[in-house]
Amino acid sequence: MTKELMIGLAIAGGLLALLYVILRALWIKKQPAGMERMQKIASYIAEGAKAFLRAEYRILVWFVLVVAILLAFTAGKESHWLIAVSFIVGALASALAGYIGMTVATMANVRTTEAARYSLNRALRVAFVGGSVMGLAVVGLGLLGIGILLLIYTTYFGADTPEEIQKIMNIIAGFSFGASSIALFARVGGGIYTKGADVGADLVGKVEAGIPEDHPLNPATIADNVGDNVGDVAGMGADLFESYVGSIISAMVLGAALALKQSDFSLGLALVFLPLILAALGIVASLIGTFFVNVKEDGDPQWALNKGELVAGIIYLAGSYFLIKYLVNGTVTTEGVFGYVQDSFTALDIWIATVIGLIVGIAIGFVTEYYTGAGKKPVWEIVKQSITGVATNIIAGLGLGMKSTAIPILILGIGILLAYYFAGLYGIALAAVGMLANTGIQLAVDAYGPIADNAGGIAEMSELPPEVRARTDKLDAVGNTTAAIGKGFAIGSAALTALAFFAAYMTAVGLAYIDIANPKVVVGLFIGGMLAFLFSSLAIDAVGKAAMAMVKEVRRQFNEIPELKAALKVISKHIDEPVEKWPEEDRKVFEQAEGKAEYGKCVEIATTSALKKMMIPGLLAVITPIIVGFAGGPEMLGGLLAGVLTTGVLLAIFQANSGAAWDNAKKMVEQGVEIDGVRYGKGSELHKATVVGDTVGDPLKDTSGPSLNILIKLMSVIALILAGIIAGG
Amino acid sequence: MTKELMIGLAIAGGLLALLYVILRALWIKKQPAGMERMQKIASYIAEGAKAFLRAEYRILVWFVLVVAILLAFTAGKESHWLIAVSFIVGALASALAGYIGMTVATMANVRTTEAARYSLNRALRVAFVGGSVMGLAVVGLGLLGIGILLLIYTTYFGADTPEEIQKIMNIIAGFSFGASSIALFARVGGGIYTKGADVGADLVGKVEAGIPEDHPLNPATIADNVGDNVGDVAGMGADLFESYVGSIISAMVLGAALALKQSDFSLGLALVFLPLILAALGIVASLIGTFFVNVKEDGDPQWALNKGELVAGIIYLAGSYFLIKYLVNGTVTTEGVFGYVQDSFTALDIWIATVIGLIVGIAIGFVTEYYTGAGKKPVWEIVKQSITGVATNIIAGLGLGMKSTAIPILILGIGILLAYYFAGLYGIALAAVGMLANTGIQLAVDAYGPIADNAGGIAEMSELPPEVRARTDKLDAVGNTTAAIGKGFAIGSAALTALAFFAAYMTAVGLAYIDIANPKVVVGLFIGGMLAFLFSSLAIDAVGKAAMAMVKEVRRQFNEIPELKAALKVISKHIDEPVEKWPEEDRKVFEQAEGKAEYGKCVEIATTSALKKMMIPGLLAVITPIIVGFAGGPEMLGGLLAGVLTTGVLLAIFQANSGAAWDNAKKMVEQGVEIDGVRYGKGSELHKATVVGDTVGDPLKDTSGPSLNILIKLMSVIALILAGIIAGG
């Protein structure tokens, strides 16, 4: 294939995905949005979410501009300004992916609620399509962005020699930098927002005032639901966009290093563009997969989702085998290239490496589900240890999270060694591509959770009959395994992509090796590991402070708004009793309070604290590699990358799993458990203990944990971009 | 100096310390031990503690024998059996140091209580002397053990060439291995014991039954106090013994590598034996320092302690300058030696490196105190965030612990780079020696805490007048800064010693470098970091389970022993009211319960769970480097060491500081705090929230945290010993 054709295929893949996005978004818009009250609540949520994203982007514009200017004047040895262009395009594409995903999600949520009034399956359909729009927007924009930049750069530079190709790849790395930095801010900012609002709303609503979650009288309710959208939707979109383009670009950069040494230029070109073509294949596979997600009226929705994923997976697996065979038609020599144990490898070796990536991701996912799944032994242990109170609940959860790092790390380690054995560093990068190629459909299923969650919140706030909420709750529960596998892919691909960028950094900085016993490198390792801890602490702290601010505001409203105050008193008399059965005068008090809660103030507080608190961790991630690179030299920077990679991955797994296990321990108790012959349920002391654990886990699993996956890639791509100047200095 | 003289000086230093130990132990024995009741309680504690140590040692004998046999048949290229001998001697010396320290502590505790009946100062004196016996037993046995082994080996091998010296040093490394493995088991086992009993006693006594800490009716009280002795005393003794000999031996091994390249053999010899001589100097300095710890009847006990430490410090600083100058009379060449940036260094450079070590340790200590000290801003933040309940208390504490890693790691990093700049790897090792040379007096002050704590427990259980308990509480509070600096030394020296052993491993395994970008090494890094997490989780889990077992046993006794059941009911009527003021019939019920609590059963449960649960983490630490070394090769093992070093140090700081901060947050509330105009104290909701945090922190700060410091050294010394076979294989 010519490079023009390959780039053309990538662009076509991206456009195809975006076409789907437009058609499906229009379909969602056409769905009925329910009664006026529901629409009003939904519009509060949508407006709050959009206002936050706009405010966030207004800040990030400055960040992007400053970094772009710095890049234009310093990075790389030449063509600085093109790196800056790539960076800006990457940042824009990431922001756009998040925005589209969120806009569609905030349309889909209320329509899911409306659909849930009629049937579970109809609701499932709306929620899934909403998720798939986001999934395909992410992969479409990613592939289109890289493709168009490549088209421009190859035209501009010619790209007829391996050296030119390599130069272009180093410029393209800027796209990944842009995507990663926006993703980091979006994840951290969104995470602080969602968990600050969630923890704050729970603490003052559920715990203090004793009113149910999402109750319309709780002024923090809207902020809580906005949070789901800016954190779990926009944040996750930016996150996966980052992972997706990171895996593709790091593999292309390593492909370019190989291309330099191939006697056959077209073979070299194939190695460079293969990740892009595989991504395009993944889009086609995902698209086809979405059409298999259909359920009969009484079918099993879980199976429908699995079917979609399975079809996409099989198409990808088979298609990639033939594509790789077709493109890489020759033996790849690795002589003289940094980081290979084998003298050469073939198309089959590459394909095996991508399959290894898939297996590693799925295996980590299953282990994650074992450690964090409701009903499984580890979570059951937490429940049992919570009998003696909160302290043992927390101790058990911390222990579980730490322990749960062991098997995933071993799986990851074996995967790295095997991929390396088959196709060297390129194989490691391709393993990450293998995990993420089907991001389109994977993300569609992932985006369920927040849409269904929001749909439930709207049902509650609109005081729809309980069966509607029951349906949305069921929706929310579907797709746990897929979500777990998604986590496995996120962690696995983050480690592999960061490792690939790290290797690219080594090549670019021109070091033959970085000696781990060199004290400078050890100091780098220490600082890198410390950064992961510091970064986590900043994220966790921010959530704590945002929650405190929210609690204070809600307390103020409860005290100062007389209608709310009166209604709260009434509610506490009728816990778990439907409003219709209340005595006339109590119902009147309750109705008078309607609309008195000042949601907007809470939304404002959440927005302000999230934006204020996301800056320091974000800047820390960007500035540290620069400082260490210039002050400590390329070897210490290498140590820093390895340190943040290893400690970051471990901390991410620990925090994600502790948090998820606490969450499910609480859910298990809510559904009723029996220990030593005694039954416990909602409202029991056991339940109270598990609620605390769940709250502690929130910032760990939804703010700092997932941000760490981005952090490690962001720092390694910055190092790669800086490599030219550091090596020269 | 001839080597005979230098070895003789070391032995003399060791003997001098042991002479002090004997004389002071006899002095303590002569002190009055109080009323029969106090003596009875004290004897329960002493017997429980001794029974535990004996049971522990009975298990460890098998471990030591098996490892010794394996060593004799496999380790090193030749003279395997001597490594085994060193290993056995190291293990024995460590066990002995722990046993002596604990025996004296269990004598000193009740005598401190008795002294506290008369005056604060008298009690201080007894507690300090008790601590100093332990401190000097540790350093005395350490130096004597190394000295005698050296005497035998140098006689056996001749030791007239640098090659012979190096061979001997590799054999001596077995001593450090023995000390480290016993220390690890002692720390983990003792830590599980003390925190299992403590958490269990608190949960069922303070929280459930509402009776005060150390109340004689709580069956777990004796186990709790035994725990202080086996964990905080015997465990700490073995721990510091390990640190002390580890720093000396790692520096000697690196000195031997330098000796190979010196044209002047006597200069080479001086480099090898210098750490030993500095340690002897430290013993003399510590001994002199102890004589300065005397207070007038109304003097400030804190100042007395500081005076002792200060005098010892100045003597050591000045003495080491002249000693180094005298011994290292020439320029040390580093050409052709692994791990040096400078071509040569001088005596002054070495001295500066040791001073850097001291400064780093003290600085880390002060930062630790800032982050964890009662009344300081960070702990105050935890208190304030606890207003919204347990969840925010836990979140704040986790955040604080993570954040508190940043500055210590930067200080450590700068220290490593500076020591390396002045005297290369040898300088790094000497920096650790600098921190630990004065372990004698440092440990004397550290051992205060548990002795005073026990003295308070005995006062409470013996129902002595409240002013006695008040005095022992004051004693317990004294020496916080010293304890913080002790922690700084523990963390700093662990990192430096492990780094020195790591460098020695590199030399021994014959690798010119270990490339951090090699995927094998990255996998090693991942597994090493994961081990630190897994190890922590096992320790934390074990505490949780031991506490649960304790809770169940105490509940059983409260239910099945009618006198206890009746007394508990009575007590709950008279909270915070002295027994004398109770009505006649209630007092009778209370008196009838006396002696009914079955302390022995609780002691047995704690002993069994601790011994059972210490095995897996201990074996994990020993077996993993062996497996990784043989299956993954020397490079992956190098990655493993670097991974466990960096992640281990970070996790250790995080856990120690989170735990200490939660502890002090609770103490602050107990002393009364004012937030937003409201006062909170004991029994308030705020207090309850901070009690939970304190309980969560217990296993982190006293079991898994300190064990990690041992883990990283143990694994690196094992790698060093294995290096010969791995390199050959």
Side-chain angles (χ1 to χ4, degrees), chain A residues 608-632:
Chain A
T608 320
S609 16
L611 294 179
K612 221 169 66 187
K613 298 277 179 187
M614 81 178 177
M615 293 312 292
I616 292 177
L619 291 177
L620 188 74
V622 176
I623 291 170
T624 318
I626 301 176
I627 293 177
V628 170
F630 283 101

Side-chain angles (χ1 to χ4, degrees), chain A residues 199 203 208 338-339 381 384-392 394-396 398-407 409-410 412-414 416-417 420 425 428 495 499 502-503 506 512-523 525-534 536-538 540-541 543-545 547-548 551-552 555 636 638-639 642-643 645-647 649-651 654-655 662 676 691-692 695-697 699-700, chain B residues 199 203 208 338-339 381 384-392 394-396 398-407 409-410 412-414 416-417 420 425 428 495 499 502-503 506 512-523 525-534 536-538 540-541 543-545 547-548 551-552 555 636 638-639 642-643 645-647 649-651 654-655 662 676 691-692 695-697 699-700:
Chain A
V199 172
L203 283 177
E208 279 186 24
F338 171 83
E381 274 296 318
K384 281 196 281 185
Q385 293 207 37
S386 310
I387 282 283
T388 33
V390 179
T392 37
I394 302 290
I395 291 176
L398 290 175
L400 177 142
M402 290 181 175
K403 196 186 296 173
S404 73
T405 59
I407 300 174
I409 287 295
L410 291 179
L412 185 64
I414 293 169
I416 290 174
L417 293 178
Y420 184 59
L425 291 175
I428 291 176
L499 192 51
F502 182 30
M506 291 287 293
Y513 62 85
I514 291 182
D515 182 13
I516 208 173
N518 176 346
K520 265 189 155 182
V521 179
V522 174
V523 171
L525 273 172
F526 268 121
I527 296 177
M530 173 271 273
L531 264 189
F533 275 90
L534 180 59
S536 293
S537 83
L538 291 171
I540 292 171
D541 261 13
V543 172
K545 300 242 167 77
M548 293 285 288
V551 166
K552 277 192 186 151
R555 280 196 192 142
M636 197 186 282
L645 169 62
T646 48
T647 308
V649 167
L650 284 161
L651 264 183
F654 156 52
Q655 297 187 50
W662 274 316
D676 295 334
V691 165
V692 174
T695 310
V696 170
L700 304 186
Chain B
V199 171
L203 283 177
E208 278 186 25
F338 172 83
E381 274 296 317
K384 281 195 283 185
Q385 293 209 37
S386 310
I387 282 284
T388 34
V390 179
T392 37
I394 302 290
I395 291 176
L398 290 175
L400 176 141
M402 289 181 174
K403 196 187 296 172
S404 73
T405 60
I407 300 174
I409 287 295
L410 290 180
L412 185 64
I414 294 170
I416 290 173
L417 293 178
Y420 184 60
L425 292 175
I428 291 177
L499 192 51
F502 182 30
M506 292 287 294
Y513 62 85
I514 291 182
D515 182 12
I516 208 172
N518 177 346
K520 266 190 156 182
V521 179
V522 174
V523 171
L525 273 172
F526 268 122
I527 297 177
M530 173 270 274
L531 264 188
F533 275 90
L534 181 59
S536 293
S537 83
L538 291 172
I540 292 171
D541 261 14
V543 172
K545 300 241 167 80
M548 294 284 287
V551 166
K552 279 192 185 150
R555 279 196 193 143
M636 197 186 281
L645 169 62
T646 47
T647 308
V649 167
L650 284 160
L651 264 183
F654 156 50
Q655 297 189 50
W662 274 316
D676 295 334
V691 166
V692 174
T695 309
V696 170
L700 304 187

